[in-house]
Amino acid sequence: MAPLLLLLLPFLISAALTSASPFTEKAALIRYWNRKIPNNLPHPDFLVSKLTPLSATAAATFYKLASTDPTLLSSRLSSFCSAAGLLCPADLNTSLSHSPQPDFKAYQNSNFTNYVTDVNGGVSSFKNYSDNLNVPVDTFRRYNPHSVFNTDKFTFYAPNGNVVTANFTSYGGSSSVGGSEEFTAYDESSNVPDLKFTNYASDSNGHDGIFSRYSVNTNAGDQSFSGYAKHGNGELSAFSSYDNNSNVVGNTFAHYGEEGNGGNNTFASYGDNGNVPENNFRAYGEGTTGGLDKFTSYRNQSNVGDDFFTSYEKTGNEGTADFTNYGNSINPGSDNFKGYAEGSFDDQITFKEYFADNTTFKSYANTSSVDFKGYHNSSSLSSTAAAEQQKKAAAEQRWVEPGKFFRERSLRKGAVMPMPDISDRTAPRSFLPRSISGKIPFSAAAVDGIFRILPDTAMGKAVESTVADCERAPSRGETKRCAASAEDMIDFAVAVLGDDIQVRSTASTKGSKGVIRIGDVRGVNGVRVYVADILAVDSKEKINEGVAICHLDTSDWSPTHGAFVALGPAPGKIEVCHWIFEGDMTWTVADRFGATAA
């Protein structure tokens, strides 16, 4: 009988569980567990930690509200979230305006309205804003506009976040004169970002701007950047890295150096080494007079995806523009490039390398002042079919973390293998008691309304995606249900597997993101679930106890699934195994361990 994997709703988290009182909701749930599963096996800590921290009194209070009308929970949302340990959106009524000192070190998860405006001379420094947070919702408006010969530095904005919603409205610019500004890293290494950045160093005079890294090493999500060094006069602007090394991210970048006068603008790297990106770049250097615009690398070494690039150096006047490398992808996707130097006057423009099978390259200024050095499409590049297939496979495999998927034969004593990052980036989750969760309609609109989640945020999109996945029809051979309470999960497990069952998970994250040695391997009778000692490679000391599951029938899986990218060859041809990650679990018929795997 197949083991049961359960997806826990991502909008719930746990609080500290310290009470041993028999009158708590947690104690009541354990009694329910014992009645439904009377095999006297220990209750594993990883699941007990997910049980509700609500006291009996608090549970009764919120049950009464939910029973009367679940939307009434919104009126007590702060206390409800605190008492039940729920993950709720940040209260954006909290805001900070006009920092009292021009050296600010840390600020977390709220609105920031104005930071050191109208400063003359000196140095302003903002070091950390909303770093290492789970589901941050941030709004930052106006960082030091109207400054005169001031040096502004912003170091980290929302790095290492999970399900990030960030909106940065205006940094520098706005009639600033002289001086410089540096923005080091915006939303770096985040998961499922929803980002908006508007106006960086715009309307400045002789004011230099340097932006080093925007949304580098991110996973999934959407982001937009509008207005970089617009309407500047005699300024130097450098953008080093935008959305490089990211996975399945939608990008929109509009208005870079637009209508500038005598500036020196450099965009070093946009969307390089990306996996399945959706890129939309509109208006680079449009309407500029004099100066130098340089775009070095766009979508270099990326893997498939879709690209739209509209308007490069349109209607420029007596300037110099240099585009070095466009679309030299390791595995090309669809491409649409419109408008290169269209309507420009007496500009010196060079486009060095363009790699794409583009039949929609429109509005190219074919004048003596425009030099298009290299246009490459698949018909102009000599390569064998085998070489192209090898190149494509290498591109795809690069985006599957080593050790994330493996064959059943890898689970043998003495084997050395990579172990992926199995840590749960979402905050620890707990269940609401069924008496309350059962009163909340299971729909994205209802959850958003009760918990005050804005639909157009990363968290809102996560809720919508979760509900949609729950509503998806089961795959062939799959029995599915999304459990909104621990009672629901136990009932479902018992209904499918019987009442002599057991739940397991990998003991910890030790060994993940490294290379491990497999020790003793014990199989659970009747199913392809294994418990393996995880050892340090050199000392052979046990550092963890891993739980792995192998899927035998993969015939309904997508051919582009990461398992086949990593292992080959195709759905239905091989079994696929993976570790049970932190925060996940597998239920099976109770077993005191069967045969030891070879």
Side-chain angles (χ1 to χ4, degrees):
M1 186 176 293
L4 177 64
L5 296 174
L6 289 135
L7 174 68
L8 304 181
L9 293 179
F11 53 85
L12 302 176
I13 69 169
S14 69
L17 301 175
T18 58
S19 174
S21 169
F23 304 107
T24 62
E25 288 294 308
K26 172 184 170 184
L29 189 282
I30 290 176
R31 291 194 294 271
Y32 184 84
W33 185 341
N34 291 338
R35 289 197 305 272
K36 300 291 289 189
I37 308 173
N39 56 15
N40 295 320
L41 290 176
H43 306 115
D45 290 340
F46 70 84
L47 184 50
V48 171
S49 68
K50 298 179 185 298
L51 304 182
T52 179
L54 279 172
S55 67
T57 302
T61 298
F62 295 120
Y63 165 74
K64 183 176 181 180
L65 286 174
S67 297
T68 303
D69 181 354
T71 62
L72 294 176
L73 292 170
S74 294
S75 64
R76 299 281 300 277
L77 189 61
S78 179
S79 59
F80 180 43
C81 293
S82 177
L86 304 184
L87 176 58
C88 299
D91 181 8
L92 291 185
N93 291 322
T94 302
S95 66
L96 184 63
S97 178
H98 296 291
S99 173
Q101 72 281 343
D103 186 7
F104 203 100
K105 293 185 178 179
Y107 188 75
Q108 301 283 8
N109 208 24
S110 293
N111 279 343
F112 203 117
T113 303
N114 287 293
Y115 182 80
V116 289
T117 60
D118 304 296
V119 171
N120 298 331
V123 177
S124 301
S125 175
F126 201 121
K127 293 185 179 178
N128 294 295
Y129 184 92
S130 286
D131 51 335
N132 302 301
L133 292 183
N134 188 58
V135 199
V137 180
D138 302 320
T139 299
F140 200 115
R141 300 185 183 95
R142 294 187 297 276
Y143 181 99
N144 201 12
H146 317 303
S147 64
V148 177
F149 293 103
N150 196 65
T151 299
D152 303 325
K153 296 180 180 180
F154 202 121
T155 305
F156 291 108
Y157 185 97
N160 304 309
N162 182 51
V163 195
V164 179
T165 299
N167 191 338
F168 203 119
T169 302
S170 179
Y171 182 92
S174 300
S175 304
S176 294
V177 176
S180 65
E181 52 204 24
E182 299 177 19
F183 204 122
T184 302
Y186 182 90
D187 195 63
E188 189 171 22
S189 301
S190 291
N191 186 45
V192 197
D194 184 39
L195 313 175
K196 296 178 179 68
F197 201 116
T198 306
N199 290 330
Y200 180 90
S202 298
D203 300 290
S204 297
N205 184 29
H207 190 78
D208 298 338
I210 299 174
F211 204 121
S212 295
R213 298 188 303 276
Y214 182 95
S215 190
V216 175
N217 301 316
T218 55
N219 180 54
D222 296 285
Q223 53 202 29
S224 65
F225 200 118
S226 179
Y228 184 95
K230 288 174 61 178
H231 310 142
N233 181 43
E235 63 182 18
L236 183 151
S237 299
F239 205 122
S240 297
S241 179
Y242 181 93
D243 192 50
N244 288 355
N245 306 311
S246 293
N247 182 46
V248 196
V249 174
N251 303 311
T252 299
F253 200 116
H255 308 301
Y256 182 94
E258 186 177 13
E259 298 181 359
N261 180 42
N264 188 330
N265 301 320
T266 301
F267 204 123
S269 178
Y270 180 98
D272 286 2
N273 299 306
N275 185 47
V276 199
E278 297 287 329
N279 297 323
N280 190 336
F281 200 114
R282 299 195 301 269
Y284 181 95
E286 185 171 330
T288 57
T289 299
L292 170 65
D293 292 329
K294 186 174 183 180
F295 204 122
T296 302
S297 178
Y298 181 92
R299 217 195 109 91
N300 189 41
Q301 300 300 301
S302 288
N303 181 46
V304 298
D306 298 297
D307 291 288
F308 295 86
F309 200 115
T310 305
S311 183
Y312 180 85
E313 207 67 25
K314 184 178 180 180
T315 63
N317 183 33
E318 297 183 338
T320 300
D322 187 1
F323 204 124
T324 301
N325 182 0
Y326 179 94
N328 188 17
S329 300
I330 194 168
N331 192 18
S334 67
D335 181 77
N336 191 317
F337 197 119
K338 295 181 180 180
Y340 182 84
E342 183 182 6
S344 61
F345 175 76
D346 204 21
D347 284 351
Q348 297 300 315
I349 300 174
T350 301
F351 203 127
K352 292 186 178 179
E353 300 287 342
Y354 182 91
F355 297 82
D357 287 328
N358 184 12
T359 59
T360 60
F361 198 102
K362 300 177 180 179
S363 303
Y364 170 72
N366 188 18
T367 69
S368 59
S369 63
V370 180
D371 186 7
F372 207 122
K373 292 184 180 295
Y375 183 98
H376 309 273
N377 57 26
S378 58
S379 61
S380 66
L381 300 174
S382 61
S383 177
T384 66
E388 285 300 313
Q389 185 63 32
Q390 187 176 21
K391 179 180 177 182
K392 180 179 179 181
E396 293 173 340
Q397 191 165 4
R398 181 169 54 127
W399 288 100
V400 181
E401 188 178 8
K404 186 171 184 178
F405 303 104
F406 49 89
R407 301 291 300 274
E408 194 171 26
R409 61 175 177 259
S410 297
L411 288 170
R412 68 183 190 279
K413 187 172 183 178
V416 175
M417 61 189 293
M419 188 173 189
D421 181 6
I422 67 168
S423 61
D424 184 1
R425 292 192 64 179
T426 307
R429 299 175 295 283
S430 71
F431 291 100
L432 277 173
R434 182 158 59 188
S435 59
I436 298 174
S437 67
K439 304 299 181 183
I440 299 174
F442 197 81
S443 73
V447 171
D448 288 348
I450 292 170
F451 291 94
R452 299 179 189 169
I453 301 170
L454 297 177
D456 189 27
T457 61
M459 189 175 184
K461 293 173 183 177
V463 170
E464 183 179 5
S465 175
T466 297
V467 173
D469 187 62
C470 287
E471 293 174 345
R472 172 185 59 82
S475 301
R476 186 179 62 177
E478 179 186 33
T479 303
K480 65 174 291 191
R481 176 180 173 184
C482 284
S485 70
E487 295 96 324
D488 290 347
M489 180 178 63
I490 291 170
D491 286 352
F492 183 41
V494 169
V496 175
L497 302 173
D499 64 2
D500 189 17
I501 55 178
Q502 188 171 2
V503 59
R504 296 185 178 91
S505 184
T506 300
S508 72
T509 61
K510 291 181 179 179
S512 66
K513 297 193 291 186
V515 178
I516 59 171
R517 185 183 298 275
I518 302 298
D520 290 336
V521 180
R522 303 171 297 282
V524 177
N525 282 340
V527 292
R528 287 304 210 278
V529 173
Y530 298 94
V531 178
D533 291 340
I534 296 175
L535 314 178
V537 173
D538 295 329
S539 68
K540 299 182 182 179
E541 177 185 359
K542 181 177 177 179
I543 58 174
N544 200 353
E545 183 174 88
V547 176
I549 182 171
C550 295
H551 304 271
L552 299 186
D553 184 1
T554 60
S555 56
D556 280 348
W557 293 22
S558 168
T560 60
H561 192 287
F564 307 120
V565 171
L567 307 173
K573 302 292 186 182
I574 60 169
E575 85 293 343
V576 173
C577 306
H578 61 84
W579 298 107
I580 300 298
F581 281 27
E582 180 186 30
D584 295 336
M585 63 192 77
T586 179
W587 288 84
T588 68
V589 173
D591 188 276
R592 280 67 179 174
F593 294 119
T596 299

